[in-house]
Amino acid sequence: MVRANGAVSLRELARVVQTSEVTVRRDVRALEAEGLLDRRHGGAVLPGGFSREPGYPQKTHLAAAEKSAIADLAAGLVEEGDAVVVGAGTTTQELARRLARIPGLTVVTNSLLVAQALAHANRVEVVMTGGTLRGSNYALVGSGAEQSLHGLRVTKAFISGSGLTAERGLSTTNMLSASVDRALVQSATEVIVLADHTKLGADTMFQTVPTDGITRLVTDEHAAADDSTARELDALADCGVQVVIAPLGLVAEPPPVQQAPPAAQRRPTLPPGGAPLPGQRRPGAHGGPPTRLAELGAPRVR
């Protein structure tokens, strides 16, 4: 499975082979000792994971349900009439499919997949960067892409990557992709990272966004269920990142394209000091460390 997908989670391995995660963890440790794979928090990757990036076909099958849940929740952070940037990736592609149902948006992207998902959206303006096509993830990179972002200002940036740690922030395996992603986030007031549990605790070659540059993380509920990734979430929250956990299988139907939803039905963004989103951390009542909420059936996070 690691050879086919580039990476795999312990939870998925346990489900496929119908055994416990404890047994899977032991076997993964033995395979690492033989040099066949590298362990990561909550999963495993092929050796050389700092520089190796799975291709698009492999990434589409990895944590697909989790990416869908993350995209559903992230779409609720976007209001009618917003101007946003959306980076390249399979999770951001899922987000774009949901943004197509929100009228009045302007979406700036360097991803052909994001642009394709929005191509036939009614009342959504798509602005693409220039640049050179990187075929492995269908993204435009290079100086042309970066220069086209100079002077741009938007409300939110939605970005993904190959790994996320509290110590180093968001990272990716490709230098050109990292450089364009940095230009994307520099144009935004708020930086929102979309990362499923397989990316938490993983550290790759090129830093994209340092931890103090991340406003919010949207991840899936499996990240809270595993001890190692839950500790990473705690560390990220301690660094000031607002952690939002997307429950699996409980998603809201987005508004139709033709008609804007009434204001009372919109899923609001989180203003400073406002009410948290489902599963989001919030500071303690007496200035203590942030705590997580358990809502919409999501498991309570430690």
Side-chain angles (χ1 to χ4, degrees):
M1 289 179 65
V2 173
R3 285 172 178 161
N5 299 320
V8 70
S9 69
L10 295 181
R11 184 179 299 273
E12 179 67 8
L13 284 172
R15 184 189 67 80
V16 170
V17 301
Q18 297 182 345
T19 188
S20 69
E21 288 189 43
V22 173
T23 300
V24 168
R25 188 174 287 107
R26 180 195 65 202
D27 293 344
V28 166
R29 191 178 297 115
L31 290 169
E32 183 183 46
E34 296 179 24
L36 297 175
L37 49 76
D38 289 341
R39 284 187 297 159
R40 292 287 182 267
H41 288 297
V45 299
L46 285 176
F50 272 89
S51 59
R52 185 187 182 279
E53 179 183 24
Y56 172 75
Q58 290 76 35
K59 288 192 286 188
T60 56
H61 299 294
L62 183 62
E66 289 86 345
K67 292 174 182 177
S68 180
I70 289 169
D72 275 298
L73 199 153
L77 301 173
V78 180
E79 297 281 354
E80 177 186 350
D82 272 350
V84 301
V85 296
V86 180
T90 51
T91 310
T92 52
Q93 180 187 19
E94 286 296 316
L95 171 63
R97 290 170 177 151
R98 288 143 180 85
L99 295 183
R101 299 181 174 93
I102 304 176
L105 297 183
T106 299
V107 179
V108 181
T109 186
N110 70 318
S111 169
L112 298 186
L113 298 174
V114 168
Q116 183 183 41
L118 294 167
H120 301 291
N122 185 28
R123 296 175 57 196
V124 175
E125 182 178 1
V126 180
V127 179
M128 293 206 67
T129 69
T132 303
L133 177 63
R134 184 167 180 254
S136 61
N137 64 347
Y138 299 93
L140 296 171
V141 297
S143 59
E146 295 172 41
Q147 290 171 8
S148 66
L149 294 166
H150 287 170
L152 180 70
R153 198 63 181 167
V154 297
T155 57
K156 301 176 182 71
F158 293 90
I159 192 169
S160 189
S162 302
L164 177 65
T165 65
E167 179 180 3
R168 194 156 171 256
L170 188 68
S171 61
T172 188
T173 57
N174 182 267
M175 181 174 63
L176 293 175
S177 293
S179 185
V180 174
D181 285 349
R182 283 193 291 268
L184 286 170
V185 301
Q186 285 171 3
S187 68
T189 305
E190 183 177 354
V191 177
I192 303 168
V193 171
L194 311 182
D196 64 74
H197 66 281
T198 65
K199 297 176 181 178
L200 288 174
D203 193 9
T204 53
M205 285 188 70
F206 300 99
Q207 184 190 61
T208 302
V209 189
T211 307
D212 60 7
I214 300 172
T215 309
R216 185 175 298 165
L217 164 67
V218 183
T219 188
D220 63 89
E221 64 183 34
H222 291 327
D226 182 82
D227 287 343
S228 59
T229 50
R231 285 193 296 270
E232 201 70 56
L233 293 181
D234 289 336
L236 286 163
D238 290 341
C239 293
V241 178
Q242 298 173 356
V243 177
V244 187
I245 297 175
L248 296 175
L250 293 170
V251 296
E253 187 68 23
V257 175
Q258 295 83 357
Q259 182 178 354
Q265 295 180 5
R266 295 181 196 148
R267 302 175 74 181
T269 57
L270 181 68
L277 290 163
Q280 179 158 353
R281 295 165 170 265
R282 61 181 176 186
H286 303 288
T291 56
R292 296 189 185 92
L293 303 180
E295 296 182 33
L296 293 181
R300 182 171 293 278
V301 184
R302 298 167 51 181

